[in-house]
């Protein structure tokens, strides 16, 4: 399917619940509300016309006003891919886990939890793994994070 | 014996310093005798915060960091990052630079596969393949050295082109190497493919089913050894890969042995691509004019390249300043290590080593 | 009578009957040790690949009598090849503590010397392993060439030859 067909097909099945993000990326990019993530994921994973089996990437983003979680899914049978993201408020950064649909989400979500502080409800093992065991300085990839012994790069 | 001996499982710690974990990875194993009951990987021993550092660097300054993101195929990391930035800035890359990128990328892929095969031999207790493959790998590093002056972290593929043109003596030396590598591959196959010990240690070991490949998003040669015919160069093509004739080797054994065979077949295909690229390469500019402090447009971009371990993706969010707002790098080993516990359960510890080597897991890609 | 290794045959021949030399235990001990430095295979990042290349066909560590050991108990020299993070630092310390005297440390590459390209802005990288363990020889580069590493190992050998056996005990106690 081309990008336009993909967009039309997905919007048809999820009308009103998701929003298309206009940008000039080669792939469709949707905004999915946090409550719909699991239903939407289940649909694009199982639908025979989409078969988006590969969770290629899941990353957190701190936009200084809110958190975003970006999902990047690819289908090897149909050779297409889509992006979608969800927006979470700062004070309640919670979204349902998609680990039941894509087991590959396991570490991606753990990482987003560790580095951004986004909680994935239902994740079986939200434990620290990238940072040292005795880490007590919060979530370093947040934009407002200030580290104890970070030497800033000198501006030239 | 009428009464069974009472046995219980034991927890052992493999790593973080262990020669067959290919870097610093800790595996917490629950074992019953020699059999692995459970395996929990613990990563982060090489977490260098590359994503955070990139937020404080200009785009050209990020490229040397990308070398260190995955140092076995540094060319491909440079390439992926440069591709993403070029998409953000709508930059046209000169024709000759595209060919140089393909040549360097494919040579780097050969070097990476040679390293993987050699190290697999080393992990299984055979020193010979290690010495053989490193001999040919040194020839590739010589080619890189005469091109960009470095053996491992090249910083060669830049935004808008490549850093410098290849010297005239590159051509004969490269052709000489390409002529040699096919014969050398035959040599490796003589040593390994029919070797009874190699077959006993690898065949039927570490079955990575197609379902596991899909669930855990395994890509690259490891996925193609499980019958998943997906190669970004072919099916989601980037750069100028649509101009070359090459096959995507797909095997259906799903085991360590077929993963080795997939890599061996890819070496031959990469050599084929380099040969075609050398023949077709035009003269001309090698780099588009880019200011070192250029500002890309506001937006998001995701670029992917087919690395020797699967899909390598770079997700860059730009806010229109000289520095990227967020850089997210994704490497294939991440999923390979995630799926390892699923395929080692019930096998022996020695098999775990073989599986770890055959999946070609490299830690910096995972920890970043 | 002191023995230099290059003059060893001369001394051996000059004694009537041959095959007998007199020397200090210290000298013969350090001489032999410098000729068989077994190193701990401690690669973490990019430098580990160069360390492997140094051990492989073209550069051939073996000709200096250097063989890699996977266990710190059997190693004389710890080549720290690569970035050490705060999470890894306790492990480096522990491995160093497990090595037997006399033990030497070679810091290979920018990261092990002082953080390298991750000196600025990184919250996770230890800026130099000399903050954790004593370092004898630094080999700069990112990563250093195998020739540089070979030179560094020869320097370790030179340093070893100047040491006295008593020093090891002192170093152990301190």
């Amino acid at each position: 399917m081309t990008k336009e067909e993909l967009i039309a097909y997905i919007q048809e099945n999820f009308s009103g619940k998701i929003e298309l993000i206009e940008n000039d990326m080669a792939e469709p990019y949707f905004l999915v509300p946090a409550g719909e993530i699991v239903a939407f994921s289940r649909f694009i994973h199982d639908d025979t016309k989409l078969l988006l089996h590969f969770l290629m990437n899941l990353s957190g983003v701190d936009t200084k006003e809110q958190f975003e979680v970006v999902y990047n899914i690819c289908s090897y049978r149909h050779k297409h891919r889509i992006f979608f993201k969800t927006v979470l408020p700062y004070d309640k950064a919670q979204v349902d886990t998609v680990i039941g649909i894509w087991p590959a989400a396991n570490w991606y979500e753990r990482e987003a939890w560790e580095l951004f502080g986004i909680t994935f409800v239902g994740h079986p093992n939200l434990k620290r793994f990238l940072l040292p065991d005795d880490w007590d300085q919060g979530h370093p990839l947040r934009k407002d994070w200030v580290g104890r012994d970070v030497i800033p790069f000198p501006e030239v | 014996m009428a009464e069974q001996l009472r046995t219980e499982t034991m927890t052992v710690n493999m790593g973080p310093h262990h020669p067959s974990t290919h870097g610093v990875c800790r595996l917490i194993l629950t074992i019953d005798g020699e059999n692995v009951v459970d395996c929990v990987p613990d990563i982060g021993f090489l977490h260098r915060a590359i994503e955070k550092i990139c937020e404080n660097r200009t785009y050209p300054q990020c490229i040397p960091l990308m070398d260190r993101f995955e140092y076995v195929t540094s060319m491909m990391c440079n390439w992926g990052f440069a591709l993403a930035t070029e998409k953000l800035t709508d930059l046209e890359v000169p024709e000759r630079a595209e060919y140089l990128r393909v040549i360097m990328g494919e040579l780097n892929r050969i070097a990476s596969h040679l390293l993987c095969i050699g190290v697999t031999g080393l992990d299984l207790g055979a020193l010979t393949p290690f010495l053989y493959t490193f001999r040919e790998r040194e020839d590739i590093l010589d080619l890189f050295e005469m091109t960009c002056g470095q053996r491992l972290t090249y910083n060669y593929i830049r935004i808008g082109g490549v850093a410098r043109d290849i010297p005239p003596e590159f051509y004969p030396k490269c052709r000489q190497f390409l002529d040699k590598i096919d014969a050398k591959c035959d040599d490796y196959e003589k040593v390994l493919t029919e070797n009874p010990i190699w077959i006993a240690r690898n065949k039927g070991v570490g079955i990575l089913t197609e379902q596991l490949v899909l669930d855990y998003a395994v890509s690259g040669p490891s996925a193609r050894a499980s019958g998943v015919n997906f190669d970004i160069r072919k099916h989601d093509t980037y750069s100028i890969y649509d101009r070359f004739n090459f096959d995507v080797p797909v095997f259906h054994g799903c085991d360590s042995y077929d993963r080795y065979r997939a890599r061996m077949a890819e070496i031959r295909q990469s050599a084929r691509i380099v040969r075609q690229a050398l023949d077709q390469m035009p003269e001309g500019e090698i780099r588009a004019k880019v200011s070192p402090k250029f500002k890309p447009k506001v937006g998001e971009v995701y670029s992917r390249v087919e690395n020797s371990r699967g899909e390598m993706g770079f997700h860059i969010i730009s806010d229109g300043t000289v520095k990227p707002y967020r850089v997210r790098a994704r490497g294939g080993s991440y999923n390979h290590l995630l799926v390892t516990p699923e395929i080692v359960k019930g096998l022996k510890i020695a098999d775990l080593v073989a599986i770890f080597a055959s999946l070609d897991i490299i830690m910096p890609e995972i920890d970043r | 009578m002191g023995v230099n290794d290059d003059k060893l045959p001369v001394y051996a021949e000059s004694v009537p009957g041959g095959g007998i030399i007199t020397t200090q235990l210290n000298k013969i001990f350090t001489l032999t040790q410098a000729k068989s430095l077994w190193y701990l295979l401690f690669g973490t990042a990019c430098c580990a690949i160069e360390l492997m290349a140094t051990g492989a066909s073209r550069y051939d560590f073996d000709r200096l009598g250097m063989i890699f050991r996977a266990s710190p108990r059997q190693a004389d020299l710890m080549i720290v090849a690569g970035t050490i993070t705060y999470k890894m630092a306790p492990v480096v310390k522990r491995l160093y503590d497990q090595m037997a005297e006399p033990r030497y440390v070679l810091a290979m590459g920018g990261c092990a010397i002082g953080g390298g390209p991750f000196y600025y802005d990184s919250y996770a990288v230890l800026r130099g392993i000399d903050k954790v363990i004593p370092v004898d020889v630094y080999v700069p580069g990112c990563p250093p060439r195998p020739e540089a590493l070979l030179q560094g190992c020869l320097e370790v050998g030179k340093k070893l030859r100047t040491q006295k056996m008593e020093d090891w005990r002192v170093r152990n106690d301190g």
Side-chain angles (χ1 to χ4, degrees):
Chain A
M1 279 196 271
T2 62
K3 184 182 175 184
E4 286 70 33
E5 285 169 359
L6 263 178
I7 292 172
Y9 183 75
I10 294 172
Q11 276 187 327
E12 192 183 309
N13 283 280
F14 259 78
S15 59
K17 293 182 190 152
I18 57 167
E19 218 178 287
L20 181 73
I21 297 171
E22 293 291 340
N23 62 8
D24 43 5
M25 279 166 85
E27 303 87 3
Y29 202 149
F30 296 102
L31 178 66
V32 182
E36 293 287 330
I37 281 286
V38 175
F40 182 74
S41 304
R42 177 58 71 192
F43 164 69
I44 60 170
H45 180 270
D46 291 347
D47 189 276
T48 47
K49 279 191 171 169
L50 296 173
L51 286 179
L52 289 153
H53 285 313
F54 276 5
L55 177 74
M56 276 307 179
N57 196 2
L58 185 159
S59 62
V61 181
D62 178 5
T63 62
K64 290 184 184 155
E65 288 144 12
Q66 63 214 4
F67 286 122
E68 288 174 356
V69 183
V70 183
Y71 301 75
N72 165 5
I73 332 274
C74 161
S75 164
Y76 99 85
R77 285 189 209 283
H78 299 308
K79 320 282 190 245
H80 57 220
R81 71 172 69 208
I82 72 161
F83 284 74
F84 63 91
K85 72 175 175 189
T86 184
V87 172
L88 309 168
Y90 247 180
D91 48 345
K92 192 171 176 293
Q94 273 188 8
V95 64
D96 287 337
T97 175
V98 292
I99 199 169
I101 299 151
W102 297 292
N106 189 340
W107 283 3
Y108 290 130
E109 290 185 347
R110 228 171 126 180
E111 199 185 317
W113 170 81
E114 184 176 13
L115 301 180
F116 285 98
I118 301 168
T119 310
F120 292 86
V121 181
H123 190 290
N125 192 17
L126 279 185
K127 279 199 293 193
R128 174 164 291 141
F129 70 159
L130 283 179
L131 299 169
D133 297 331
D134 54 352
W135 182 260
D136 57 350
Q137 301 182 51
H139 307 290
L141 277 190
R142 288 189 181 190
K143 284 285 175 182
D144 58 357
W145 180 79
V146 185
R148 249 203 316 269
D149 65 351
V150 172
I151 304 174
F153 190 56
E155 291 286 341
V156 186
Chain B
M1 212 159 42
E3 210 174 318
Q4 286 273 312
L5 278 176
R6 192 178 67 88
T7 61
E8 51 189 45
T9 58
M10 186 168 71
T11 305
V12 293
N13 197 14
M14 186 170 163
H17 162 248
H18 189 281
S20 62
T21 53
H22 296 196
V24 274
C25 168
R26 176 172 166 229
L27 301 170
I28 304 160
L29 302 174
T30 309
I31 50 171
D32 179 8
E34 272 282 298
N35 297 318
V36 179
V37 178
D38 195 15
C39 165
V40 181
D42 180 15
I43 63 171
F45 292 97
L46 198 49
H47 178 62
R48 294 152 297 177
I50 285 183
E51 289 174 6
K52 183 79 178 175
I53 299 174
C54 283
E55 290 174 9
N56 281 319
R57 299 284 195 278
T58 62
Y59 287 87
Q61 282 172 344
C62 287
I63 291 207
L65 289 169
M66 288 306 147
D67 279 329
R68 277 107 191 140
F69 159 57
E70 211 274 68
Y71 42 71
V72 182
T73 52
S74 304
M75 288 286 182
M76 244 91 77
C77 307
N78 292 172
W79 196 354
F81 191 83
L83 266 183
T85 322
E86 283 152 13
K87 276 189 194 171
L88 267 179
T89 39
D90 294 324
L91 209 63
E92 277 292 313
V93 180
E95 190 84 331
R96 187 176 170 82
E98 291 278 22
Y99 277 97
L100 286 173
R101 286 178 176 191
V102 169
I103 293 171
M104 296 304 159
E106 292 304 318
L107 284 175
N108 211 173
R109 187 188 316 277
I110 298 177
S112 166
H113 284 336
L114 287 176
L115 181 98
C116 172
I117 292 167
V119 170
T120 310
L122 200 60
D123 285 351
L124 298 183
L127 201 61
T128 317
F130 173 69
L131 295 175
Y132 276 20
T133 55
F134 265 68
R135 186 183 57 196
E136 271 69 63
R137 191 173 169 273
E138 288 291 336
D139 290 344
I140 301 177
L141 297 190
D142 280 350
L143 291 172
F144 287 152
E145 209 178 338
M146 71 165 68
T147 313
C148 61
Q150 253 289 20
R151 284 164 50 89
L152 205 61
T153 47
Y154 311 109
N155 192 15
Y156 177 65
I157 295 175
R158 304 276 176 88
I159 295 158
V162 295
R164 63 177 77 174
D165 210 338
I166 47 177
E169 61 268 26
F170 181 90
Y171 299 92
K173 204 148 184 220
C174 187
R175 283 187 196 279
Q176 200 186 344
F177 168 74
L178 292 172
D179 292 340
K180 198 165 77 176
I181 189 72
D182 276 343
K184 294 292 176 191
C185 278
D186 294 340
D187 280 0
Y188 308 148
E189 299 221 359
K190 266 182 216 151
V191 174
L192 296 175
T193 310
E194 300 293 322
N195 184 333
I197 301 172
W198 187 260
I199 291 173
R201 289 296 303 274
N202 282 317
K203 205 152 200 166
V205 171
I207 300 290
L208 181 67
T209 57
E210 191 179 343
Q211 190 56 45
L212 279 177
V213 169
L214 294 181
D215 283 350
Y216 287 89
V218 176
S219 49
S222 306
R224 290 194 284 276
S226 299
V228 173
N229 183 7
F230 187 53
D231 187 320
I232 301 169
R233 290 176 294 170
K234 199 87 172 175
H235 301 116
D236 195 0
T237 188
Y238 58 97
S239 185
I240 51 165
Y241 273 110
D242 45 353
R243 298 185 198 173
F244 304 116
N245 284 323
F246 64 98
D247 302 325
V248 178
V250 178
F251 293 85
H252 296 273
C254 307
D255 53 359
S256 299
Y257 185 69
D258 270 13
R259 288 194 278 276
Y260 148 75
R261 283 208 297 167
R263 292 212 164 75
M264 202 57 114
E266 275 198 12
I267 292 178
R268 294 174 194 272
Q269 294 302 327
S270 293
R272 212 173 133 193
I273 296 174
V274 178
R275 216 171 271 136
Q276 293 172 46
L278 279 177
D279 290 338
Q280 296 174 17
M281 187 159 62
E283 292 293 317
E285 284 289 305
I286 52 150
R287 199 170 173 190
K289 284 267 174 292
V290 194
S291 144
K293 288 217 156 190
F294 70 95
K295 290 178 180 165
K297 62 187 180 203
V298 182
E300 270 184 57
V301 70
Y302 182 82
S303 79
R304 59 213 159 260
V305 290
E306 177 74 26
N307 184 308
S308 59
R309 300 181 180 73
E311 169 170 330
M312 173 171 279
F314 292 92
H315 190 170
I316 301 178
I317 300 176
S318 156
D319 57 352
T321 58
V322 291
K323 295 170 182 171
Y325 186 77
R326 167 110 169 89
V327 176
R328 163 81 186 174
R330 177 242 188 260
S333 297
Y334 207 83
N335 306 71
H336 292 155
L337 186 59
L338 186 58
V339 77
T340 308
E342 300 294 322
I343 57 179
V344 298
K345 276 176 194 160
L347 298 176
K348 304 258 189 280
I349 296 181
D351 292 335
L352 167 64
V353 172
I355 293 165
F356 214 90
S358 75
L359 286 170
D360 200 6
I361 292 169
I362 290 279
M363 291 314 287
E365 214 178 18
I366 299 166
D367 295 341
R368 293 180 305 277
Chain C
M1 183 175 68
V3 175
N4 290 323
D5 53 334
D6 49 336
K7 291 184 186 152
L8 195 59
V10 181
Y11 284 119
E13 288 303 313
S14 62
V15 178
I20 300 166
I21 52 166
T22 53
T23 182
Q24 290 167 316
L25 184 60
N26 187 56
K27 291 228 161 114
I28 204 79
F29 201 89
T30 50
L31 168 71
T32 47
Q33 183 135 38
K35 297 289 176 191
S36 78
L37 272 176
W38 287 6
Y39 63 97
L40 177 65
L41 195 65
F42 191 73
T44 58
C46 335
C47 295
I49 308 288
E50 284 297 65
L51 179 58
M52 276 157 69
T54 317
S57 329
R58 186 182 290 182
Y59 296 98
D60 191 15
F61 243 162
D62 265 10
R63 65 198 158 117
L64 302 184
M66 301 185 71
I67 303 171
F68 71 82
R69 293 278 99 192
S71 164
R73 314 252 182 223
Q74 302 164 346
D76 309 304
L77 170 67
M78 185 186 202
I79 299 180
V80 182
T83 321
I84 301 297
T85 60
Y86 289 127
K87 189 167 178 177
M88 194 65 198
V91 183
V92 183
K93 176 80 172 72
R94 191 164 170 186
L95 284 169
Y96 179 76
D97 289 345
Q98 285 177 352
M99 285 167 67
E101 284 285 352
R103 53 191 169 182
Y104 295 87
V105 177
L106 188 148
M108 179 183 180
C111 295
I113 294 172
F118 311 105
Y119 183 84
Y120 293 114
D121 289 330
S122 178
Y123 50 79
V125 173
L126 181 73
R127 297 184 186 86
I129 53 156
D130 44 13
K131 292 199 169 66
V132 187
I133 53 175
V135 178
D136 295 292
V137 174
Y138 297 88
V139 180
C142 192
R145 293 183 56 84
E147 288 93 333
L149 181 60
L150 288 172
Q151 175 68 30
C153 293
L154 291 174
E155 294 295 326
V156 176
K158 261 186 211 162
K159 175 162 186 181
L160 209 154
R161 302 269 296 274
T162 64
Q163 305 246 306
K164 292 198 174 67
M165 289 167 87
E166 300 91 85
D167 295 344
W168 303 334
R169 205 175 57 238
V170 171
R171 219 170 132 186
N172 213 0
D173 295 341

